[in-house]
Amino acid sequence: VGVELEVQIVDRASFELVPASELIFERVASPLIHKEFLRSMLEFVSNPHDDPDSAVDEIREIARKVVELGRGEGFLLSAGGTHPFAEPENVKITQDSRYRRLFEEFKEVLRNFLIYGLHIHIGFPEADTALNAYNMFVKYSPLLLALSASSPFFRGRNTGILSYRSKL
C-alpha cells in the first residue's frame, strides 16, 4: 500500500494560498515531501507498506512536522478537493523545468489546476486478484466518489456540484 496526499498551503488568517513550498523543503528535508505544480502546494508520499495503517502513520508523522513549521510561519495545510476562492491568475508555479514545460503546453488547463487529492496505491500478488479487486471497486466507486465530495466551490462561486474537483 502506498499513499500520496496533495495539500494546499494557506495563510492562517485569510486562507489565501501561500507559495511556501520552498520554505518547507528548506526546513523539513524529507524524501516523503514532493514538489507539485504550484508553489502553494506539496505532496506527501509514503513508501510502500504491507498494511494501510503503517502507510498512514508515515504520512501523518511527516505532515505533523510541516504543520509545526506552519505554526511559526503563519500557514496551515488544507486537504480540500479544490481551493474555494483562489484566482488561478494569481498562483505561482514551481520553478522547475518540468513544470514550465507542462505549463507552456497546457496553459489554460494548468492555470485552473487548483485541485488536490488523495491517491491510494494497492499492489496485488497476482493478476486475477487485481482484476477481481478492480471489478469490485467499479461496483462501489459511485459511493466512494460521494464520500469524497469536498469541493463544491471554485473561484469563489458555488458550482452546484459537490465534487467540482472531479470535473476539473
Side-chain angles (χ1 to χ4, degrees):
V1 176
V3 176
E4 298 177 13
L5 176 62
E6 300 165 343
V7 296
Q8 307 164 42
I9 308 165
V10 298
D11 182 82
R12 287 183 92 72
S14 68
F15 301 109
E16 294 276 349
L17 291 172
V18 177
S21 62
E22 292 173 14
L23 172 71
I24 293 167
F25 292 121
E26 288 172 11
R27 303 262 188 92
V28 185
S30 171
L32 303 178
I33 304 174
H34 292 211
K35 289 181 182 178
E36 275 294 332
F37 179 68
L38 303 177
R39 287 175 40 204
S40 54
M41 176 182 190
L42 56 86
E43 182 176 39
F44 298 111
V45 179
S46 77
N47 290 301
H49 290 265
D50 290 331
D51 65 276
D53 289 339
S54 60
V56 169
D57 288 345
E58 185 176 51
I59 295 294
R60 183 180 294 131
E61 183 180 323
I62 193 62
R64 279 188 184 135
K65 292 177 182 178
V66 176
V67 167
E68 185 62 34
L69 173 65
R71 284 192 184 106
E73 296 294 331
F75 67 79
L76 301 166
L77 300 181
S78 172
T82 62
H83 189 277
F85 58 84
E87 295 292 333
E89 302 80 24
N90 297 331
V91 297
K92 297 187 177 4
I93 298 168
T94 298
Q95 294 305 307
D96 178 274
S97 61
R98 174 179 176 242
Y99 294 125
R100 282 193 300 269
R101 194 171 49 254
L102 282 171
F103 185 70
E104 287 304 314
E105 187 173 345
F106 299 104
K107 280 185 186 177
E108 195 58 33
V109 172
L110 290 182
R111 201 180 312 270
N112 288 290
F113 200 68
L114 296 169
I115 61 173
Y116 313 84
L118 170 65
H119 308 245
I120 300 171
H121 303 272
I122 303 172
F124 293 93
E126 66 235 3
D128 285 346
T129 306
L131 187 56
N132 288 336
Y134 175 78
N135 288 332
M136 188 63 72
F137 170 78
V138 169
K139 181 178 176 180
Y140 291 101
S141 62
L143 296 173
L144 294 170
L145 181 60
L147 290 171
S148 72
S150 65
S151 54
F153 301 101
F154 188 69
R155 297 187 84 171
R157 297 185 309 267
N158 184 338
T159 63
I161 301 169
L162 295 177
S163 184
Y164 193 69
R165 178 197 185 279
S166 63
K167 303 303 179 211
L168 284 174

